Amino acid sequence: MPAPLENLSLRAQLRVDRLPLRLGALFVGLTGFGISIAMLIRAGLGAMPWDVLQVALAERTGLTVGTFIIGVSLLVLAAWIPLRQHPGIGTLANAVWVGIAADLALAVLHAPDAPAARMALLLSGIVLNAVSSALYIGAQLGPGPRDGLMTGVNRRWGLPIGRVRLGVEVTVIALGWLLGGPIGVGTVLYAVGIGPLVQRVLPFLTIPVRRGPQPLPGAGPGVTLPTGPQ
């Protein structure tokens, strides 16, 4: 049976079991996520939905794609306030590190010339994105800014997450397209394939939350802390 995904508060995340392992999985996942963004952009066959807008903004302003990934993430986090969403360790790390990782990868990756190589880069990027998403979600240290926006709308107004996600991403793609963002077969393949791929991989990469008292680091054997939602 797959391990359940917990909704841990920030306080609970700081006390959760195997925190170093979770932090390692989180940052490997976020790094891979940023690299996968660069792979889809360099493939030149269409970017991920949010990146259609972010690439368009970068091209129009001369700033880096990573700068807009970070900037849009912070704007989305501001939208959490009326939704009464609470960020976690992973939320804040996601908002900053994915953009940095994407810029670093874009600096070393180059667009291949052969159509077959472009398609291979695209498909590899989608698979890497799915594995990376499962890693940072499975670390159970808080959702990313965009995922939290959708779950927050669902919790506040009861709208189905699928419809919220569809509405948000269609809006983002439309804005990006109007600004000249890269829409193509890659955008469609990502939108159709990423959900099933993450669902398939996530059970293998989720780090379960152990119930019961956990030892306080550096304390004696009789000093423990509780884990789980607070």
Side-chain angles (χ1 to χ4, degrees):
M1 181 178 178
L5 293 175
E6 307 285 349
N7 184 22
L8 302 178
S9 67
L10 179 58
R11 181 183 178 188
Q13 290 173 22
L14 293 171
R15 296 177 171 184
V16 74
D17 65 286
R18 296 174 287 177
L19 183 57
L21 175 62
R22 295 178 190 278
L23 290 172
L26 171 69
F27 279 98
V28 169
L30 295 180
T31 301
F33 198 100
I35 293 171
S36 70
I37 288 174
M39 291 171 72
L40 265 71
I41 292 172
R42 289 294 187 237
L45 298 173
M48 301 177 198
W50 283 89
D51 297 323
V52 173
L53 174 61
Q54 288 156 175
V55 170
L57 292 171
E59 289 177 348
R60 284 178 170 265
T61 61
L63 299 175
T64 68
V65 173
T67 298
F68 280 101
I69 292 174
I70 295 169
V72 171
S73 295
L74 296 177
L75 287 174
V76 172
L77 277 178
W80 283 32
I81 297 172
L83 298 175
R84 298 177 183 175
Q85 284 279 92
H86 301 290
I89 298 171
T91 310
L92 301 175
N94 184 307
V96 176
W97 184 246
V98 170
I100 294 173
D103 273 351
L104 291 174
L106 285 168
V108 298
L109 279 177
H110 300 285
D113 296 322
R118 288 179 178 270
M119 181 58 69
L121 186 61
L122 167 68
L123 295 177
S124 300
I126 292 174
V127 172
L128 176 60
N129 187 270
V131 173
S132 300
S133 297
L135 273 170
Y136 86 73
I137 292 170
Q140 308 215 56
L141 294 176
R146 295 156 183 80
D147 292 331
L149 174 66
M150 296 167 196
T151 57
V153 170
N154 167 262
R155 186 178 298 113
R156 188 70 184 273
W157 291 295
L159 298 175
I161 289 180
R163 292 183 184 177
V164 175
R165 185 184 189 103
L166 179 63
V168 169
E169 292 191 347
V170 167
T171 301
V172 168
I173 289 173
L175 288 172
W177 176 73
L178 290 172
L179 293 172
I183 296 177
V185 65
T187 310
V188 176
L189 288 176
Y190 179 86
V192 172
I194 194 63
L197 284 172
V198 173
Q199 187 175 0
R200 179 65 64 89
V201 176
L202 185 57
F204 300 99
L205 297 177
T206 298
I207 304 172
V209 174
R210 292 173 179 166
R211 297 301 179 183
Q214 297 294 319
L216 179 64
V223 183
T224 60
L225 285 174
T227 60
Q230 301 292 318

